């Protein structure tokens, strides 16, 4: 296992290096001048001499490979550059907004599991019965509804009409309810169908049919055999979904004025804050790389057939 983890980490580091090259090159070819943006953000106009001094100070007058080398060296030391909009280091901005995004991601993820797991199991157990049809219909509706529409409906009902919850903000647990529910409902609708499909495939396996024929109770078969084995195929998808939540959900965070990484990325794009965009993209890359590695390791532990089948390096 140790050798496998080392190989995976090496491959993922290469992916991150490629992502850094792509991110830097794409932001470098954009028409805006970072030095001029910085001058305008300070209200200093566009004096050519001042712009030239800023370029020399930040190394923007050097060739592109040298700029990338300096930028990469800064990243390795936790320095993602200076945000034009906020006038602060990008790493400080991301660190300040990260706890809110982590809090929203964890609550949304747990809420999604509380909805999707029981409904997905019920849909599979009562296959082609009334409960199954109702749950599948609701899941189809949930997948068809965009997250921004769900968010607006929740705001209209619980903020405008009932005055129970605040429209936006991230100061208290009450501010967390509507964005968490919005994210959870969208993901739950998708996972209900996936859990149902995975369980139905597992229930048609020969060992399940043999257990039923020997008189093993259906409840025991579902809880101790069907459910654990069917959820193995969902583990990877759950990891990627949680990684996406940690990266910040731009639309939901923006609608509810949630002070997280996703809303910061939207503001960075709007204000052409390329340093913050670069930092956000690298943060997303690190999240997906780490989550991917953890899911691969977890999957190999949960499914012994991978090791027994000669897959162990």
């Amino acid at each position: 296992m140790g050798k496998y983890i080392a190989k995976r980490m090496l491959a993922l580091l290469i992916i991150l290096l490629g992502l850094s090259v792509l991110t830097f090159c794409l932001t470098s070819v954009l028409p805006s001048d970072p030095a001029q943006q910085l001058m305008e953000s300070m209200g200093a106009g566009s004096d050519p001499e001042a712009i030239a001094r800023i370029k020399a100070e930040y190394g923007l007058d050097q060739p592109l490979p040298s700029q990338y080398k300096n930028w990469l060296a800064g990243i390795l030391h936790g320095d993602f550059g200076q945000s034009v909009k906020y006038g602060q280091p990008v790493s400080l901005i991301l660190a300040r907004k990260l706890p809110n995004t982590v809090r929203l991601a964890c609550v949304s993820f747990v809420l999604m599991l509380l909805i999707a797991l029981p409904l997905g199991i019920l849909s599979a157990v009562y296959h082609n019965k009334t409960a199954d049809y109702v749950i599948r219909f609701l899941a189809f509706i949930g997948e068809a509804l965009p997250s921004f529409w769900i968010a607006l409906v929740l705001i209209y009902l619980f903020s405008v009409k009932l005055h129970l919850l605040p429209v936006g903000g991230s100061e208290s647990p009450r501010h967390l309810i509507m964005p968490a529910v919005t994210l959870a409902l969208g993901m739950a609708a998708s996972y209900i169908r996936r859990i149902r499909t995975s369980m139905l495939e597992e229930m048609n396996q020969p060992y399940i049919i043999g257990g039923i024929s020997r008189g093993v109770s259906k409840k025991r078969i579902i809880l101790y055999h069907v459910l654990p084995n069917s959820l193995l195929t969902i583990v990877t998808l759950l990891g990627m979904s949680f990684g996406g939540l940690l990266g910040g959900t731009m639309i939901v965070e923006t609608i509810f004025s949630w002070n997280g990484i996703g809303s910061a990325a939207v503001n960075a794009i709007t204000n052409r804050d390329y340093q913050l965009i670069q930092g956000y993209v690298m943060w997303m890359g690190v999240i997906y790389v780490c989550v991917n590695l953890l899911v691969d390791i977890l999957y190999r532990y949960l499914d012994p057939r991978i090791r027994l089948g000669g897959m162990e390096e």
Side-chain angles (χ1 to χ4, degrees):
M1 176 62 76
K3 189 176 180 181
Y4 169 78
I5 295 176
K7 287 184 176 181
R8 291 288 296 156
M9 290 185 66
L10 179 60
L12 295 177
L13 286 175
I14 294 174
I15 293 174
L16 283 178
L17 180 61
L19 178 63
S20 69
V21 173
L22 185 62
T23 301
F24 185 82
C25 291
L26 287 177
T27 53
S28 297
V29 299
L30 293 173
S32 298
D33 187 348
Q36 186 172 350
Q37 281 184 271
L38 184 59
M39 288 288 294
E40 292 176 354
S41 67
M42 296 186 297
S46 56
D47 181 22
E49 293 184 2
I51 292 176
R53 285 196 299 270
I54 291 177
K55 287 185 176 181
E57 180 181 354
Y58 288 95
L60 298 176
D61 56 344
Q62 299 179 9
L64 192 61
S66 298
Q67 292 185 40
Y68 170 75
K69 181 181 177 181
N70 296 332
W71 178 71
L72 184 61
I75 287 180
L76 295 177
H77 291 87
D79 181 11
F80 289 88
Q82 192 86 356
S83 169
V84 173
K85 174 178 171 55
Y86 297 97
Q88 297 176 350
V90 171
S91 56
L92 180 63
I93 296 170
L94 295 179
R96 187 173 64 245
K97 295 178 179 293
L98 177 60
N100 284 333
T101 296
V102 171
R103 185 154 52 102
L104 177 60
C106 292
V107 174
S108 303
F109 193 74
V110 172
L111 184 58
M112 180 274 292
L113 291 177
L114 292 177
I115 298 172
L117 274 176
L119 292 182
I121 294 171
L122 286 175
S123 183
V125 171
Y126 295 100
H127 177 55
N128 285 339
K129 295 182 180 179
T130 303
D132 181 29
Y133 291 135
V134 172
I135 293 173
R136 287 166 62 189
F137 174 76
L138 294 176
F140 276 119
I141 296 297
E143 279 195 291
L145 298 177
S147 59
F148 71 86
W149 189 87
I150 298 175
L152 294 177
V153 169
L154 292 177
I155 291 174
Y156 178 76
L157 289 177
F158 295 100
S159 297
V160 178
K161 287 296 184 182
L162 301 178
H163 304 286
L164 296 176
L165 297 172
V167 175
S170 54
E171 293 78 22
S172 68
R174 295 178 69 242
H175 292 90
L176 179 63
I177 296 175
M178 286 198 293
V181 170
T182 301
L183 293 172
L185 288 178
M187 289 191 300
S190 176
Y191 276 100
I192 287 172
R193 298 180 58 200
R194 291 170 179 171
I195 292 171
R196 174 185 179 275
T197 301
S198 182
M199 286 192 64
L200 289 177
E201 291 178 356
E202 196 67 26
M203 289 170 70
N204 291 325
Q205 296 295 322
Y207 79 96
I208 297 296
I209 299 174
I212 295 175
S213 65
R214 290 194 298 270
V216 182
S217 66
K218 188 175 182 179
K219 180 180 178 181
R220 181 178 180 84
I221 288 176
I222 291 175
L223 292 179
Y224 293 98
H225 300 284
V226 175
L227 184 60
N229 290 327
S230 60
L231 290 182
L232 286 173
T233 59
I234 309 295
V235 169
T236 302
L237 297 174
L238 288 174
M240 292 299 101
S241 295
F242 188 68
L245 290 173
L246 283 179
T249 49
M250 295 184 177
I251 296 176
V252 173
E253 286 191 5
T254 302
I255 291 176
F256 290 103
S257 300
W258 186 261
N259 189 24
I261 291 180
S263 60
V266 172
N267 291 330
I269 294 171
T270 303
N271 295 280
R272 296 183 296 180
D273 191 348
Y274 298 140
Q275 288 74 20
L276 185 53
I277 295 173
Q278 289 173 338
Y280 172 78
V281 172
M282 291 306 299
W283 163 251
M284 288 288 293
V286 170
I287 287 178
Y288 276 102
V289 162
C290 292
V291 169
N292 194 293
L293 177 61
L294 291 175
V295 167
D296 285 348
I297 295 172
L298 179 63
Y299 196 90
R300 291 168 73 89
Y301 274 114
L302 291 177
D303 193 351
R305 293 172 296 181
I306 294 179
R307 297 193 297 275
L308 295 176
M311 296 287 291
E312 187 73 47
E313 298 290 344

